[in-house]
Amino acid sequence: LEEGRTVQTAMQPTPRLSLKGFAINSNKKAATQLNGDMVYILKISPFRIALSLIDVSGHGAAAAMLTGMIHGWLHSHFNNSSTLPELTTGLNQYLLNYTPASMYVTGFIGILDTMTGSLEYILAGHPEPLFWQNNACRFGPQASTPVLGMHEGFSPVVSHCHLMPGDAVMIYSDGLLDVLANTDDAEGHLCNLYAQHNCNKICLRNRRCSMLDDILSTGNIPIDDMTMLCITRFHEPLYFGSLELSTPKTGHYELTIPSREGALQDLYSFMVDNLQEEIGATLFWDMLQIVMELTRNAMEWGNGFDATKKISCSICLTGTKAQFTVEDEGNGFDTGTILERARTIDPEGYPSDNGRPGGFGIAMAFGLADQLVFNEKGNRVTARFFRNVTDQHS
């Protein structure tokens, strides 16, 4: 059982993901040592996220084994051309073919478009989602699709909603309602608790959905597996640590960065967490090195580490070119002198103490980028890569 739990843990997504203006949190609590619930999250394109919460009937080892089968099936069938009816129908047939007749599955299967905020989903015998919109909680429509693994040839019903900045939705297994069955109004209690968490922005401060902890802290004992999947859309502008990000467009990001050391770590984390897959590993690490070096130059030499001054960073990705631009609020510099120095630097003999003459970062950028372009003032530099960005994914 302990080894089984280790495998189940490895299949679960990161407790909190920040994806293009959305925070996606999850949490679960098993009624026994193994869990019959499963959360599945997959980025199927830079701005489309596949989301599933699966609840297998029963408890223990049999239910846990079936979650592993479903995880593998979803992972091999979800892609950018997938349609929800095709996926749900295919999963239903897979379960009919390979599971005992007595077992069935309820589930939420959806696709989130992080560009538009559109969420389309199918509820297969699953509890209706709980929405937070216009500072109020409401339940969505009830399931119109039967449970999976019990019936041949059904027609899945697709539901649609639109999440505006500040909106949120919670998907949950029925274990949450079961554990509240001793209250006068289980659904009302759940709704009020979710409203409290959104009013106080608790979901955005915690990596995991802490509502499960709140429910169990009052002495409630789970009688069924309990799982939550929370999706929250940030208000604009978006913030990643100290970075301010304008609403991202496909392949285009505009960042405002304060001129202080800690912002460099925020920039590094933002790029690794959000852009690595989109750019592709081969090109990404070259770009990251140059972005970090040029941004530090802008902080130190352009803005003089004056925290009141900002750095503008623009990243643009297309199928044939990748480029980024860094611009500071300083007075600029003599680009001719710096460029000449950069071209004649000997990396082996470059001093490592404070007596550095400057230009080493520019020399490194010249070595990694296909082209560097400076403005006349000398406070803006653009690095370009003439490579097929989409090919990097292969």
Side-chain angles (χ1 to χ4, degrees):
L1 291 176
E2 289 178 356
E3 291 173 350
R5 291 182 67 181
T6 300
V7 172
Q8 284 199 311
T9 299
M11 289 193 300
Q12 293 305 303
T14 303
R16 174 175 176 180
L17 300 171
S18 293
L19 299 165
K20 308 295 187 296
F22 286 80
I24 302 177
N25 304 54
S26 61
N27 201 354
K28 63 177 183 174
K29 175 68 176 178
T32 61
Q33 291 193 59
L34 294 175
N35 204 321
D37 292 351
M38 181 197 75
V39 172
Y40 179 76
I41 301 173
L42 176 69
K43 184 188 291 187
I44 54 179
S45 78
F47 291 93
R48 299 181 78 228
I49 311 299
L51 302 161
S52 298
L53 195 159
I54 299 297
D55 183 356
V56 177
S57 62
H59 308 290
M65 288 179 66
L66 191 48
T67 63
M69 293 170 60
I70 296 171
H71 184 283
W73 191 94
L74 289 174
H75 196 72
S76 63
H77 287 78
F78 249 128
N79 56 64
N80 198 32
S81 61
S82 304
T83 69
L84 291 180
E86 290 172 347
L87 280 166
T88 307
T89 302
L91 178 58
N92 179 68
Q93 191 61 50
Y94 175 73
L95 295 172
L96 284 169
N97 292 342
Y98 297 107
T99 59
S102 60
M103 296 186 74
Y104 63 90
V105 170
T106 72
F108 167 97
I109 302 175
I111 296 178
L112 173 67
D113 187 324
T114 58
M115 274 290 294
T116 64
S118 172
L119 175 65
E120 58 175 6
Y121 62 92
I122 290 175
L123 288 181
H126 201 75
E128 58 270 30
L130 186 54
F131 289 92
W132 171 258
Q133 293 177 312
N134 299 318
N135 294 318
C137 272
R138 65 171 181 86
F139 284 95
Q142 294 184 341
S144 301
T145 300
V147 298
L148 305 176
M150 293 286 287
H151 308 284
E152 290 273 5
F154 63 84
S155 298
V157 178
V158 181
S159 298
H160 300 268
C161 68
H162 186 79
L163 300 177
M164 300 294 290
D167 289 351
V169 59
M170 180 181 76
I171 302 102
Y172 54 94
S173 61
D174 57 6
L176 268 75
L177 294 175
D178 292 341
V179 79
L180 297 172
N182 59 345
T183 63
D184 293 335
D185 180 8
E187 289 188 347
H189 185 84
L190 189 65
C191 189
N192 291 335
L193 188 57
Y194 189 53
Q196 174 188 337
H197 273 241
N198 278 284
C199 285
N200 297 326
K201 295 183 172 54
I202 295 174
C203 281
L204 293 181
R205 294 202 302 267
N206 295 336
R207 287 181 59 79
R208 295 186 182 274
C209 296
S210 57
M211 276 181 59
L212 286 187
D213 303 322
D214 293 348
I215 292 172
L216 297 176
S217 66
T218 58
N220 292 298
I221 299 175
I223 58 177
D224 193 5
D225 300 322
M226 303 167 60
T227 302
M228 295 174 54
L229 174 62
C230 296
I231 306 166
T232 305
R233 188 172 185 181
F234 295 120
H235 282 286
E236 300 175 17
L238 316 178
Y239 288 93
F240 292 83
S242 60
L243 311 183
E244 180 180 314
L245 174 66
S246 64
T247 304
K249 302 175 183 178
T250 302
H252 196 157
Y253 306 84
E254 298 285 347
L255 293 158
T256 302
I257 307 168
S259 297
R260 56 175 182 266
E261 287 273 6
L264 288 171
Q265 182 59 49
D266 292 335
L267 177 61
Y268 180 92
S269 298
F270 167 77
M271 292 193 64
V272 170
D273 293 344
N274 294 276
L275 300 184
Q276 183 175 177
E277 182 178 348
E278 185 173 352
I279 296 172
T282 303
L283 178 56
F284 174 77
W285 294 106
D286 285 354
M287 284 190 64
L288 181 63
Q289 287 189 66
I290 306 178
V291 169
M292 298 300 293
E293 183 64 35
L294 296 183
T295 303
R296 181 176 179 83
N297 280 351
M299 284 185 184
E300 181 177 2
W301 303 109
N303 290 345
F305 286 123
D306 182 347
T308 66
K309 293 183 177 181
K310 307 294 184 183
I311 296 164
S312 298
C313 182
S314 173
I315 301 172
C316 184
L317 310 170
T318 69
T320 57
K321 182 174 67 176
Q323 74 172 39
F324 64 85
T325 299
V326 175
E327 182 175 356
D328 58 61
E329 297 184 47
N331 297 322
F333 60 89
D334 182 349
T335 57
T337 301
I338 292 294
L339 291 178
E340 181 61 30
R341 186 181 301 159
R343 292 189 178 98
T344 58
I345 281 178
D346 176 11
E348 296 294 330
Y350 194 75
S352 59
D353 56 21
N354 292 330
R356 297 175 300 170
F360 185 77
I362 300 296
M364 183 190 72
F366 267 119
L368 294 175
D370 294 321
Q371 185 182 68
L372 285 184
V373 179
F374 296 85
N375 67 342
E376 185 176 349
K377 182 179 178 180
N379 69 329
R380 184 177 71 240
V381 57
T382 298
R384 293 173 179 157
F385 296 83
F386 300 109
R387 310 178 192 178
N388 193 320
V389 177
T390 57
D391 284 349
Q392 303 296 326
H393 295 286
S394 61

